Amino acid sequence: MIKSKSVWLSLLISLFFISACENAPLEKPTELITIKVASENRLSISEIFEEPEIIELEQCDSCLIGDINKVLKDDSGFYILDRNRAEAIFKFDLEGNFIFKIDTKGEGPGQFKLPFDFDLLENGVELFILDMNSRKFLVFDKSTGSFIREFSYSTFQVENFIAFSNDLFAVEVDGRNTVSEKKNLGHIVNFTLNDTIFKGILDYPKTVVMFYGQEFTKSSHSFLFSRALNDTIYTVLENEFKPKYFLDFGNRKVSTELKILDIMELGQGIQKEASFFSLGRNFENSKYLIFNWANEKEYEQNGIYFKGKSEFYHLVSENSLFRNPFFMDEESVFTFYSNTDRNFSPLPNEYIQKENFYLARFLFKD
């Protein structure tokens, strides 16, 4: 009898420890980094950057850009999306010399109605173009611009994306048909298997209609994602969107009461309350995080967060070319200047007289 009780006691203790182990977290969750954003903390870009290196893009009949919506960089050059005017993707080398243009408009294989977004495969030759109107991705060779293949999707509408491989993508889905309700807008999808691995980013879809930035960003340090009016910046992994930074705007943040209004009332409410909010376009290296935000006086400005000191500063730019960062590594930040920027921050006359656009590289002083 004693032996029987001992066996039962041992069994119960074993079950308790097994249950405890099964319910214990596999790893300590990463702490969300809170950044207190305030326009009073100001820092001139000349205090942390050298004078910019200007990259003048070649001027020719085939390579004139109407406007810039997105720029990506790899070791061979720059890839520029002009969605609104040329409706094409251009490639220039690192010195600004024209390489090729993809403007195969149409409805057949290898053709698109509108190149809405694009991405490069990090360790491959593929350049992916999203044609929202045709619900398909087109794949081109990023060295030559030649067409490789295409594939369609149907389960949901994709609005923005990054590619981890030929099959695995992180996407932002278009949920504007549910403008007053929250929806999981961030998905990790294997398109070959038609398998959604992850759904997250519960948010109001309509904000993208008013404030369209660059939600997915790549740097040498990480892949990041954020949406306008959503104060969380996520690290994008192959199996999830993981919250990393929280932008704390205090009592100046856009309230939930405003977010559920229709689009016109939302815009009016933000102006009336002089709200602060995020606009996306986030880049980081091991020392800094740079992101786009707006306050009551200045729209589409940049902030910088010093990771080592846990300090935020509103970047004050004497140089209009710093308006739109598009790539960041340990040594520098690359930026572009678009037609839209001319309405907010004109360039000096020597730049405006040029037909094609400029890119710039700002080297960190340290």
Side-chain angles (χ1 to χ4, degrees):
M1 187 68 176
I2 294 174
K3 184 177 181 181
S4 176
K5 287 182 178 179
S6 178
V7 170
W8 276 106
L9 183 60
S10 298
L11 180 60
L12 286 172
I13 291 172
S14 299
L15 289 172
F16 172 79
F17 278 109
I18 291 171
S19 175
C21 290
E22 287 179 345
N23 290 290
L26 294 177
E27 59 181 16
K28 184 179 178 180
T30 303
E31 183 179 355
L32 187 65
I33 300 170
T34 298
I35 302 173
K36 293 188 179 297
V37 181
S39 54
E40 297 81 30
N41 305 327
R42 303 171 79 85
L43 185 69
S44 168
I45 63 168
S46 61
E47 294 181 61
I48 54 175
F49 292 105
E50 305 286 354
E51 283 296 311
E53 170 194 342
I54 305 301
I55 304 165
E56 184 177 340
L57 300 180
E58 181 182 345
Q59 301 179 34
C60 63
D61 291 339
S62 300
C63 62
L64 288 180
I65 300 168
D67 202 1
I68 297 179
N69 299 106
K70 180 178 179 179
V71 185
L72 294 178
K73 175 188 176 295
D74 66 10
D75 292 339
S76 65
F78 305 103
Y79 306 78
I80 299 175
L81 170 62
D82 178 359
R83 183 193 309 120
N84 302 325
R85 299 191 181 184
E87 299 181 355
I89 291 174
F90 300 81
K91 181 176 181 181
F92 297 83
D93 67 18
L94 295 175
E95 285 72 46
N97 301 305
F98 177 62
I99 305 298
F100 65 72
K101 175 172 69 172
I102 302 174
D103 61 348
T104 53
K105 287 175 282 188
E107 299 183 15
Q111 298 178 324
F112 48 74
K113 294 180 180 177
L114 181 70
F116 199 81
D117 193 15
F118 80 106
D119 193 29
L120 311 173
L121 198 59
E122 293 288 299
N123 299 310
V125 301
E126 290 83 1
L127 183 157
F128 298 92
I129 297 177
L130 168 64
D131 182 4
M132 280 184 67
N133 296 331
S134 301
R135 286 181 173 259
K136 68 179 181 179
F137 287 95
L138 299 94
V139 188
F140 293 82
D141 187 308
K142 65 183 181 182
S143 299
T144 64
S146 58
F147 175 68
I148 299 175
R149 64 187 178 93
E150 65 179 48
F151 59 93
S152 301
Y153 61 90
S154 59
T155 307
F156 44 73
Q157 179 60 285
V158 177
E159 194 153 37
N160 302 284
F161 75 100
I162 58 169
F164 292 110
S165 69
N166 276 300
D167 308 307
L168 192 64
F169 287 44
V171 305
E172 180 188 15
V173 302
D174 181 7
R176 281 175 281 182
N177 59 327
T178 57
V179 292
S180 296
E181 300 175 6
K182 284 188 174 183
K183 184 175 180 179
N184 284 315
L185 301 174
H187 294 193
I188 308 294
V189 183
N190 186 313
F191 282 105
T192 299
L193 300 178
N194 195 25
D195 180 26
T196 299
I197 298 168
F198 173 86
K199 290 184 181 181
I201 320 293
L202 192 64
D203 199 6
Y204 295 98
K206 63 182 172 185
T207 57
V208 74
V209 179
M210 294 184 58
F211 309 102
Y212 186 83
Q214 186 176 338
E215 282 85 352
F216 288 102
T217 55
K218 290 183 174 182
S219 63
S220 62
H221 193 75
S222 63
F223 297 170
L224 297 175
F225 174 85
S226 71
R227 304 185 74 252
L229 308 189
N230 184 324
D231 301 334
T232 303
I233 300 174
Y234 301 81
T235 298
V236 187
L237 306 173
E238 293 188 5
N239 59 350
E240 67 173 324
F241 289 73
K242 192 170 186 177
K244 185 171 185 180
Y245 300 102
F246 175 72
L247 305 181
D248 182 3
F249 296 109
N251 59 7
R252 305 299 295 273
K253 72 177 182 179
V254 179
S255 64
T256 302
E257 289 74 19
L258 282 181
K259 290 183 180 181
I260 63 175
L261 299 176
D262 64 38
I263 294 170
M264 186 66 69
E265 291 176 327
L266 170 62
Q268 293 171 348
I270 288 174
Q271 289 184 339
K272 183 179 180 180
E273 295 186 3
S275 301
F276 293 4
F277 53 93
S278 167
L279 285 165
R281 203 181 294 281
N282 316 287
F283 298 91
E284 68 174 342
N285 60 21
S286 62
K287 295 181 179 179
Y288 310 106
L289 169 72
I290 289 179
F291 57 89
N292 221 212
W293 69 294
N295 63 24
E296 77 278 17
K297 295 180 180 179
E298 297 160 289
Y299 184 71
E300 282 195 272
Q301 59 190 313
N302 290 295
I304 186 167
Y305 175 69
F306 289 70
K307 296 182 180 182
K309 299 185 291 186
S310 299
E311 293 178 354
F312 165 82
Y313 293 93
H314 169 198
L315 276 176
V316 181
S317 176
E318 306 91 347
N319 193 313
S320 306
L321 284 167
F322 198 81
R323 286 186 60 82
N324 300 295
F326 67 83
F327 183 81
M328 183 174 180
D329 55 25
E330 295 299 314
E331 292 80 33
S332 58
V333 176
F334 288 83
T335 69
F336 71 85
Y337 183 86
S338 71
N339 271 334
T340 305
D341 298 323
R342 290 192 168 107
N343 299 324
F344 296 96
S345 184
L347 285 172
N349 289 333
E350 61 265 28
Y351 296 125
I352 296 174
Q353 292 169 3
K354 305 293 183 181
E355 284 191 65
N356 223 357
F357 284 84
Y358 296 91
L359 307 179
R361 183 189 185 198
F362 289 80
L363 283 164
F364 288 104
K365 285 188 173 180
D366 58 357

